Amino acid sequence: MATPYVTDETGGKYIASTQRPDGTWRKQRRVKEGYVPQEEVPVYENKYVKFFKSKPELPPGLSPEATAPATPSKPEGGEPGLSKTAKRNLKRKEKRRQQQEKGEAEALSRTLEKVSLGETAQLSSAPPGSRAAPTATSDQPDSVASTEKAKKIKNLKKKLRQVEELQQRIQAGEISQPSREQLEKLARRRALEEELEDLELGL
């Protein structure tokens, strides 16, 4: 906010009187010649800051047109202009991602082996004439179904674990008055166990 100056007939400057929040008035003050109010004082910059602000980005004598068509070459480490630490972090992330993909591929191959082992057991018990038909029809849908079953089993086991922990906490006296949701969770235990048994038998 600019300072409200008042000029009198002799040419002297004054800061106008202002009212305080409690209703009293401040006296008007005379301003000496050459006075600059605090809010109008320019921010101090040392000589180094001024030098680097005025310094051109290009070396002396080099025209901006000469640098425009040149495209920066991409260094071996990946992104251009990255520090050693950033390049190292990029390599670590890439390695982690590859390991994760490798782990997922191994898990998928294991589930496929389980499915194929189950199919061979079924085929060996079937008569010789009906062996060729199931292998042609059951390829990927079975693997997808088995992974879905595995996920459901894992989820049900997790829910059962939570129910058991809740029951132990109630028996130990940590929870004196269980909420309605907690009681519902305990009541669902038998249904969860039955569903888990059905899924495990279906595998």
Side-chain angles (χ1 to χ4, degrees):
M1 187 180 128
T3 310
Y5 288 116
V6 177
T7 311
D8 65 353
E9 59 274 354
T10 59
K13 283 187 179 178
Y14 291 91
I15 294 177
S17 57
T18 55
Q19 193 172 13
R20 295 187 186 100
D22 64 350
T24 58
W25 286 86
R26 293 182 191 91
K27 283 193 254 174
Q28 71 176 24
R29 290 172 288 158
R30 187 170 179 278
V31 178
K32 291 181 181 175
E33 198 64 43
Y35 169 76
V36 180
Q38 187 68 38
E39 56 267 8
E40 294 172 21
V41 174
V43 178
Y44 172 74
E45 289 181 345
N46 64 28
K47 59 184 177 182
Y48 299 108
V49 172
K50 287 180 185 174
F51 170 74
F52 282 110
K53 278 189 178 178
S54 64
K55 185 181 171 188
E57 291 179 21
L58 301 173
L62 185 64
S63 65
E65 293 84 26
T67 58
T71 55
S73 60
K74 201 172 184 182
E76 306 167 10
E79 301 291 320
L82 291 177
S83 66
K84 285 182 183 178
T85 316
K87 287 177 188 175
R88 201 177 312 131
N89 288 340
L90 274 176
K91 284 181 185 176
R92 282 183 189 159
K93 281 181 186 176
E94 186 66 28
K95 198 171 185 181
R96 221 176 286 136
R97 190 175 57 79
Q98 287 173 353
Q99 286 176 348
Q100 194 174 14
E101 287 173 359
K102 190 178 178 184
E104 287 171 2
E106 285 175 6
L108 187 60
S109 65
R110 273 190 243 120
T111 54
L112 285 173
E113 284 174 17
K114 285 179 186 176
V115 170
S116 62
L117 287 173
E119 285 175 7
T120 53
Q122 288 174 355
L123 287 175
S124 61
S125 63
S130 62
R131 283 187 188 176
T135 54
T137 56
S138 59
D139 267 347
Q140 285 202 325
D142 281 348
S143 66
V144 171
S146 67
T147 53
E148 287 296 319
K149 276 187 181 179
K151 281 183 184 177
K152 282 184 181 178
I153 289 171
K154 185 178 177 185
N155 198 3
L156 285 170
K157 284 182 179 177
K158 182 181 175 185
K159 285 180 182 177
L160 279 170
R161 225 180 10 255
Q162 288 174 346
V163 169
E164 287 169 7
E165 285 173 7
L166 180 65
Q167 198 166 12
Q168 287 173 358
R169 286 174 66 191
I170 290 171
Q171 288 172 352
E174 289 178 39
I175 301 172
S176 58
Q177 291 183 336
S179 66
R180 190 166 55 89
E181 291 86 9
Q182 290 172 332
L183 291 172
E184 286 173 5
K185 195 182 263 191
L186 287 171
R188 279 198 305 258
R189 182 178 184 165
R190 187 68 213 138
L192 289 170
E193 286 173 349
E194 288 173 3
E195 193 177 344
L196 182 63
E197 284 173 20
D198 291 344
L199 280 171
E200 284 178 339
L201 290 172
L203 263 180

